[in-house]
Amino acid sequence: MANIITRHIPNTITCCNLISGCVAIMAAIYGDLKLAMLFIVVGAVFDFFDGMAARLLHVSSPIGKELDSLADVITFGLAPSVMLFQELSILEYPFGSIYRWQFSGVVPYVAFLMAAFSALRLAKFNVDERQATSFIGLPTPANALFWGSLLLGLDRQMQALNWAPMALICLMLLSCWLLVAELPMFALKFKQWGWKGNEIKYIFVLSCIPLLIIFKVLAFAIIIAWYVVLSTYVNATKKQ
């Protein structure tokens, strides 16, 4: 009996991630970006602990891996896409009043490209043996946290700018590319806790603390952008 319960603990945690994503989507549909962001963060916590639980309990399975990806598509692919869709639906567009309603009725659906690229990113991750200790391309949880933080933290500022929709779409296309790009990115996985060999990881973690204190909810977007920049710098120095 104990073995049966133990075997299902990681998958139960993964399902909690999926449910968190569903709540985030419904919150975004009703325009509650704060609640949507909260449940994306909750989903990210569950996503962190399901893998840890599977390793600690030695109950990893192919089903668990697939279930994890399916949950991630909902929480870190569809949920931020719905948040972006809602934001693009209420923003003013820099066009004449005659055509504005046509753009506001069609353009927001572009946001779901991010859900498609998130699914592609997760599919690639499942079959890519190079990503055991690091990532190639932006991880979907990082992308979701970026968008949740950006949309929530700059909501009022974006509503005051008529060029905000175009800026968001360009940024969304960039994030779609980052999800599937052949760009190595470090993972916060420590084989040993010493400074040597973990310099970049410690620098990143320590730099996140003042950012969280200063920028609060917007800090997540800044941290993810910093993560991409730092990963790019590490790759450039390795090539040299």
Side-chain angles (χ1 to χ4, degrees), residues 92-221:
E92 291 291 330
Y93 286 77
F95 307 109
S97 58
I98 297 176
Y99 302 103
R100 186 175 295 158
W101 70 271
Q102 295 176 339
F103 283 99
S104 61
V106 175
V107 171
Y109 288 94
V110 175
F112 293 108
L113 275 174
M114 188 159 62
F117 274 86
S118 296
L120 180 58
R121 151 77 195 171
L122 290 162
K124 289 182 64 178
F125 178 81
N126 281 353
V127 299
D128 193 343
E129 297 179 356
R130 299 173 297 170
Q131 302 191 53
T133 58
S134 62
F135 300 112
I136 298 177
L138 184 65
T140 53
N143 184 64
L145 290 171
F146 172 85
W147 279 101
S149 171
L150 184 74
L151 295 173
L152 181 59
L154 295 180
D155 183 42
R156 291 183 180 178
Q157 292 86 336
M158 286 187 290
Q159 291 185 29
L161 301 172
N162 61 4
W163 49 265
M166 297 302 103
L168 287 176
I169 290 171
C170 290
L171 193 57
M172 185 269 296
L173 293 174
L174 175 61
S175 72
C176 287
W177 175 77
L178 286 172
L179 284 167
V180 297
E182 287 290 311
L183 177 64
M185 298 187 178
F186 65 89
L188 293 176
K189 297 178 181 179
F190 294 84
K191 294 182 179 179
Q192 48 85 23
W193 297 101
W195 173 261
K196 189 174 183 180
N198 294 316
E199 296 91 344
I200 295 298
K201 297 173 186 177
Y202 279 123
I203 290 171
F204 176 72
V205 171
L206 293 173
S207 64
C208 289
I209 297 171
L211 290 174
L212 287 167
I213 294 172
I214 297 170
F215 295 101
K216 298 180 174 59
V217 68
L218 186 60
F220 287 100

Side-chain angles (χ1 to χ4, degrees), residues 43-93:
V45 173
F46 283 126
D47 184 55
F48 176 80
F49 282 107
D50 63 0
M52 179 182 290
R55 289 189 294 271
L56 289 174
L57 298 173
H58 305 289
V59 290
S60 299
S61 67
I63 290 178
K65 185 177 181 180
E66 298 303 323
L67 180 62
D68 183 68
S69 292
L70 292 171
D72 286 356
V73 169
I74 297 297
T75 306
F76 308 127
L78 186 56
S81 294
V82 175
M83 291 181 70
L84 180 57
F85 173 88
Q86 287 295 95
E87 191 69 24
L88 291 173
S89 298
I90 64 174
L91 292 177
E92 291 291 330
Y93 286 77

Side-chain angles (χ1 to χ4, degrees), residues 17-38:
N17 170 17
L18 190 151
I19 293 169
S20 298
C22 293
V23 175
I25 289 168
M26 292 307 300
I29 289 173
Y30 286 104
D32 193 341
L33 297 184
K34 185 179 292 186
L35 186 62
M37 175 60 180
L38 173 62

